[in-house]
């Protein structure tokens, strides 16, 4: 028996009262009719549940694991810790992952922690020579207990909570349908207690009915701004759909059509996360679940959503020519993935496996690890050169445990290089790609010229984390020299004396036209008409004019990307004054030398202004390839400022 590390528990009577206050007695009565009381699962258990035998890592026989199974060994050797640290004595809270081995806040109402039921069910049902827990009755009882508490937390309409007992939490519900649903399917494969089965399937039906109900605005209105959560729920339902009555299948297909039409920008292509693009959630969560669902069902709708998003990605993931990886356009909406390394030191994340379901896309082949690199990692693991360690107590979320059915096929180095070369901004061709998301009034312009690749983002402000304005300045032969960073002060923006910044404001286009080959000019202004920006896109450079008519001065901030071997200088008269880290000067521009290329940011009229460079804590990549985001602040002593950006060989 493991003593509870947290004594935060509520009597069932109070939990019932809390639910009654939110949902009403009638709602609880209906829920009771919809499925048996979750506490009935305790009837098949004898408490306390015995502890599982911890696994001795020293006895691990690496030769028994397939390459695809190597990455799940951390979960395997941690299994007993996860199970033994759930509540296994108190019949009121038995099955609650409350002993510190939880990925989320260990609150008794937080259903997200119950997602580890999938981990337990996975190893209980996974037949392998290395797995002594296969069909282990003690592990089975832990599975049942975890399911019991999952069901106990479910709201009367089918939702699951995260922040209080009455929180109709969309994420907890969507991912509950994944992890409880897929755990149920695994138990179905090996056989399980009929009483537990009936209660879990009834709970899943109730959850599916809630998620698939088109009148639930929090799912199908607000939820369309957080689409990874809805995709997760649909992926979970697809796993247990064959165990559901016919009306669930009909609703599922109708809602999948709705998701296709409304879950991503039809004009821009990205999946919505807080109504905008999000690099991290879309790549690591939504695309992964789309791949699992597509592999499981063969339903081409999942594939179409994924490929449409990947098409958007090819304009926003910028390949660094030194091989570090990808600098990511910093206009994400919720979480920041500033960069994606080309190679990783350990094979610990299975997202490439899942993305490989869509390896027809050159974007997937480009973002993936090359086969040769992965083979080296797998061989090093098999040879014992990589330690197998237990998961941290907070690192037990099961998303990396799910394996695809088919053995993944990775691109070779040559195939990956060819995929990278096929990104539209690579090479010398010129183009303008203008995309618009009409639903949330967002506008994107990607301009490729022989001398640079440049992007801007404008439209309605929905979140302070989604910055607007110019976002990056890059060339495929030199890499990124300017890159906006979301969720930080390092946005490419104008800052007025009172702290107002156009990166956080709604912006509208006030003039200009785009041309595929000719030089062109376009202008945006903030909705308050305080700041006007004009972009002049020439073959070799971009000229930017900033006007703040009512101001006597302002600061223009440009987030420079400074690499480990870059040389940074202020241009003072005809001299280059080296800057190591922070510095300031009255200068006519800034120069960064990188290899055989030079980036210049020059004040447009040739005059000198106050410039300052401030390295930030924001970095891209790591190790010898680490870049530091360094804010260049240009002080304008007038109502207008002109400057030019250019990369020269």
């Amino acid at each position: 028996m493991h003593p509870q590390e947290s004594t935060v528990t509520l009597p069932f009577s109070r939990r019932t009262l809390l639910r009654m206050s939110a949902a009403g007695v009638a709602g609880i009565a209906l829920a009771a009719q919809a499925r048996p009381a979750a506490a009935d699962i305790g009837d098949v258990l004898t408490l306390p549940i015995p502890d599982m035998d911890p696994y001795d890592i020293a006895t691990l026989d690496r030769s028994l694991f397939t390459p695809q199974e190597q990455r799940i060994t951390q979960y395997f050797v941690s299994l007993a810790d996860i199970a033994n640290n759930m509540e296994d004595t108190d019949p009121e809270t038995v099955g609650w992952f409350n002993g510190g081995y939880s990925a989320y806040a260990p609150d008794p109402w937080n259903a997200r922690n119950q997602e580890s039921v999938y981990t337990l069910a996975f190893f209980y049902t996974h037949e392998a020579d290395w797995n002594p827990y296969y069909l282990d009755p003690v592990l089975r009882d832990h599975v049942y207990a975890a399911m019991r508490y999952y069901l106990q937390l479910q709201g009367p309409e089918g939702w699951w909570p995260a922040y209080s007992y009455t929180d109709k939490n969309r994420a907890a519900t969507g991912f509950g349908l994944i992890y409880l649903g897929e755990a149920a399917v695994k138990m179905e494969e090996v056989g399980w207690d009929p009483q537990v089965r009936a209660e879990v399937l009834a709970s899943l039906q109730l959850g599916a009915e809630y998620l698939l109900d088109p009148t639930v605005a929090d799912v199908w209105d607000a939820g369309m701004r957080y689409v990874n959560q809805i995709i997760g729920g649909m992926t979970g339902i697809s796993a247990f759909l064959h165990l559901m009555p016919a009306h669930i299948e009909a609703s599922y297909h109708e809602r999948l059509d709705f998701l296709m039409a409304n879950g991503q920008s039809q004009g821009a292509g990205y999946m919505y996360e807080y109504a905008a693009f999000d690099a991290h959630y879309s790549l690591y969560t939504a695309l992964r679940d789309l791949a699992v669902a597509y592999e499981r069902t063969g339903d081409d709708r999942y594939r179409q959503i994924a490929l449409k998003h990947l098409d958007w990605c090819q304009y926003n993931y910028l390949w660094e020519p030194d091989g570090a990886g990808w600098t990511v356009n910093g206009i994400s909406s919720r979480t920041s993935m500033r960069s994606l390394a080309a190679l990783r030191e350990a094979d610990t994340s299975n997202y490439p496996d899942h993305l490989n379901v869509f390896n027809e896309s050159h974007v997937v082949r480009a973002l993936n690890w090359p086969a040769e690199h992965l083979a080296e990692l797998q061989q090093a693991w098999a040879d014992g050169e990589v330690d197998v360690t237990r998961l941290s107590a907070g690192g037990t979320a099961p998303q990396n445990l799910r394996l695809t059915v088919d053995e993944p096929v990775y691109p070779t180095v040559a195939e990956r290089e060819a995929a990278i070369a096929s990104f539209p901004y690579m090479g010398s061709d010129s183009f303008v790609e203008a995309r618009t998301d009409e639903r949330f009034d967002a506008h994107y312009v990607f301009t490729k010229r022989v001398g640079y690749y440049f992007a801007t983002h404008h439209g309605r402000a929905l979140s302070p984390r989604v910055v607007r304005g110019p976002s990056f300045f890059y060339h495929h032969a030199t890499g990124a020299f300017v890159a906006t960073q979301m969720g930080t002060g390092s946005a490419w923006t104008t800052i007025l004396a009172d702290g107002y910044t156009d990166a956080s404001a709604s912006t509208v286009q006030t003039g200009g036209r785009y041309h595929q080959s000719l030089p062109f000019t376009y202008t945006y202004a903030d909705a308050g008409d305080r700041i006007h920006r004009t972009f002049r896109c020439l073959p070799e450079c971009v000229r930017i004019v900033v006007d703040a008519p009512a101001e006597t001065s302002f600061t223009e901030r440009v987030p420079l990307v400074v690499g480990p071997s870059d040389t940074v200088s202020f241009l003072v008269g005809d001299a280059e004054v080296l800057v190591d880290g922070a510095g300031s000067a009255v200068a006519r521009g800034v120069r960064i030398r990188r290899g055989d290329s030079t980036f210049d940011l020059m004040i447009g009229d040739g005059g000198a202004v106050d410039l300052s460079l401030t390295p930030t804590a924001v970095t891209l990549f790591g190790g010898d390839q680490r870049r530091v985001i360094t804010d260049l602040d240009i002080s304008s002593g007038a109502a207008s400022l002109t400057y030019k950006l250019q990369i020269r060989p």
Side-chain angles (χ1 to χ4, degrees):
M1 163 62 185
H2 289 263
Q4 289 186 347
E5 296 181 9
S6 171
T7 59
V8 182
T9 57
L10 292 177
F12 186 76
S13 58
R14 186 180 174 201
R15 183 182 297 111
T16 301
L17 290 173
L18 284 169
R19 288 177 172 172
M20 288 172 66
S21 66
V25 176
I28 292 178
L30 289 173
Q33 295 172 14
R35 60 179 172 84
D40 290 349
I41 289 181
D43 296 343
V44 303
L45 300 175
T46 299
L47 301 182
I49 304 172
D51 279 354
M52 292 176 58
D53 293 331
Y55 188 83
D56 183 359
I57 296 178
T59 67
L60 189 76
D61 185 349
R62 297 176 185 239
S63 68
L64 299 177
F65 290 81
T66 68
Q68 199 174 5
E69 290 173 332
Q70 290 178 4
R71 65 191 53 184
I72 68 173
T73 52
Q74 275 195 299
Y75 288 92
F76 170 58
V77 300
S78 307
L79 180 65
D81 294 320
I82 298 170
N84 292 341
N85 281 279
M86 73 159 52
E87 174 55 50
D88 58 10
T89 300
D90 184 352
E92 180 61 26
T93 55
V94 64
W96 172 27
F97 291 96
N98 69 334
Y101 273 78
S102 50
Y104 302 93
D107 299 314
W109 51 76
N110 193 341
R112 297 299 307 268
N113 286 315
Q114 295 309 112
E115 292 169 11
S116 287
V117 69
Y118 176 84
T119 303
L120 274 56
F122 179 92
F123 289 104
Y124 176 73
T125 61
H126 189 78
E127 185 176 9
D129 290 341
W130 49 262
N131 183 16
Y133 301 116
Y134 176 63
L135 300 183
D136 177 75
V138 176
L139 177 54
R140 177 203 61 210
D141 286 354
H142 282 87
V143 172
Y144 289 166
M147 286 178 165
R148 171 196 185 273
Y149 198 71
Y150 225 146
L151 271 58
Q152 185 170 312
L153 291 177
Q154 189 175 28
E157 294 134 322
W159 44 265
W160 273 279
Y163 300 113
S164 72
Y165 285 118
T166 57
D167 167 36
K168 300 179 181 182
N169 190 270
R170 186 174 47 253
T173 301
F175 296 118
L177 292 171
I178 282 185
Y179 294 113
L180 179 60
E182 295 189 4
V185 171
K186 288 190 172 297
M187 298 298 288
E188 190 80 4
E189 293 171 355
V190 298
W192 50 326
D193 182 88
Q195 177 185 335
V196 178
R197 178 183 186 274
E199 295 179 27
V200 171
L201 293 186
S203 170
L204 291 172
Q205 178 179 331
L206 191 64
E209 287 169 341
Y210 174 80
L211 188 95
L212 297 173
D213 183 349
T215 69
V216 178
D218 185 57
V219 176
W220 297 108
D221 182 5
M224 288 294 92
R225 300 185 183 190
Y226 308 90
V227 74
N228 81 88
Q229 299 165 1
I230 313 305
I231 289 172
M234 297 296 286
T235 300
I237 293 170
S238 74
F240 59 80
L241 190 60
H242 62 290
L243 302 174
M244 294 288 104
H247 75 277
I248 298 293
E249 182 171 5
S251 297
Y252 164 83
H253 286 294
E254 187 275 329
R255 288 292 90 188
L256 186 51
D257 285 338
F258 185 90
L259 178 66
M260 277 195 68
N262 296 278
Q264 69 186 139
S265 171
Q266 298 304 305
Y270 50 76
M271 289 178 280
Y272 289 128
E273 293 298 334
Y274 197 60
F277 167 56
D278 189 279
H280 187 277
Y281 271 118
S282 293
L283 184 66
Y284 281 99
T285 304
L287 272 172
R288 178 160 51 185
D289 282 333
L290 287 170
V292 170
Y294 178 64
E295 182 186 50
R296 174 183 293 145
T297 66
D299 193 316
D300 199 56
R301 288 172 290 185
Y302 289 115
R303 173 180 165 275
Q304 291 178 41
I305 295 171
L307 294 181
K308 189 177 184 70
H309 181 87
L310 289 165
D311 175 69
W312 160 264
C313 288
Q314 68 178 333
Y315 294 96
N316 292 278
Y317 284 72
L318 310 175
W319 176 251
E320 294 294 341
D322 67 349
W326 306 87
T327 294
V328 182
N329 191 0
I331 56 173
S332 283
S333 60
R334 296 177 64 199
T335 56
S336 179
M337 184 170 68
R338 310 185 194 286
S339 59
L340 179 65
L343 303 175
R344 272 67 104 200
E345 296 179 358
D347 180 19
T348 56
S349 169
N350 68 348
Y351 92 86
D353 284 3
H354 294 299
L355 290 187
N356 267 328
V357 173
F358 305 122
N359 62 13
E360 68 190 87
S361 167
H362 68 281
V363 180
V364 165
R365 297 194 302 275
L367 297 181
N368 240 322
W369 303 348
E372 295 91 334
H373 174 65
L374 186 63
E376 291 176 0
L377 293 177
Q378 292 172 340
Q379 189 59 54
W381 188 94
D383 291 341
E385 298 172 10
V386 178
D387 290 338
V388 174
T389 59
R390 286 183 167 83
L391 293 168
S392 66
T396 55
Q399 59 260 40
N400 287 336
L401 180 61
R402 297 157 75 199
L403 295 177
T404 53
V405 175
D406 298 327
E407 189 72 20
V409 178
Y410 291 86
T412 65
V413 168
E415 289 169 340
R416 189 192 200 201
E417 290 175 350
I420 293 170
S422 66
F423 273 49
Y425 58 76
M426 300 298 283
S428 59
D429 291 342
S430 294
F431 67 83
V432 175
E433 182 75 12
R435 297 195 175 191
T436 293
D437 173 49
E438 294 183 356
R439 173 176 293 183
F440 297 111
D441 188 21
H443 309 273
Y444 309 89
V445 181
F446 302 93
T447 301
K448 172 66 171 64
R449 292 295 183 252
V450 174
Y452 60 89
Y453 180 45
F454 170 66
T456 60
H457 168 213
H458 301 91
R460 180 158 56 100
L462 291 168
S463 165
R465 295 179 66 80
V466 185
V467 295
R468 278 149 299 279
S471 50
F472 62 74
F473 191 77
Y474 163 96
H475 190 272
H476 66 276
T478 58
F481 282 102
V482 184
T484 275
Q485 303 299 306
M486 61 84 68
T488 73
S490 298
W492 194 345
T493 187
T494 301
I495 307 170
L496 302 185
D498 61 359
Y500 179 87
T501 170
D502 59 348
S504 299
S506 293
T507 52
V508 294
Q509 186 173 359
T510 57
R513 295 178 59 189
Y514 313 121
H515 298 282
Q516 287 299 329
S517 57
L518 300 175
F520 62 88
T521 300
Y522 61 108
T523 300
Y524 276 83
D526 68 300
D529 204 34
R530 300 183 68 183
I531 301 170
H532 299 219
R533 282 184 180 275
T534 299
F535 305 101
R536 176 67 171 165
C537 295
L538 299 160
E540 74 289 346
C541 68
V542 173
R543 293 178 63 87
I544 299 177
V545 180
V546 183
D547 292 304
E551 306 296 317
T552 58
S553 64
F554 60 84
T555 299
E556 181 76 354
R557 176 164 293 173
V558 184
L560 302 178
V561 181
V562 179
S565 61
D566 290 353
T567 300
V568 183
S569 303
F570 287 121
L571 301 178
V572 181
D574 294 330
E576 295 185 29
V577 179
L578 293 177
V579 184
D580 184 9
S584 60
V586 178
R588 59 187 181 88
V590 168
R591 175 167 292 164
I592 301 176
R593 295 188 183 275
R594 181 178 297 168
D596 297 329
S597 298
T598 300
F599 164 81
D600 283 340
L601 186 151
M602 305 289 291
I603 304 304
D605 60 5
V609 298
D610 287 333
L611 304 179
S612 67
L613 287 167
T614 306
T616 72
V618 180
T619 60
L620 311 179
F621 309 106
D624 295 339
Q625 296 170 321
R626 180 173 177 265
R627 286 107 158 110
V628 177
I629 299 300
T630 300
D631 289 340
L632 168 64
D633 284 350
I634 307 170
S635 297
S636 175
S640 183
L641 172 72
T642 300
Y643 61 99
K644 178 182 73 173
L645 300 94
Q646 184 173 2
I647 300 169
R648 296 182 287 105

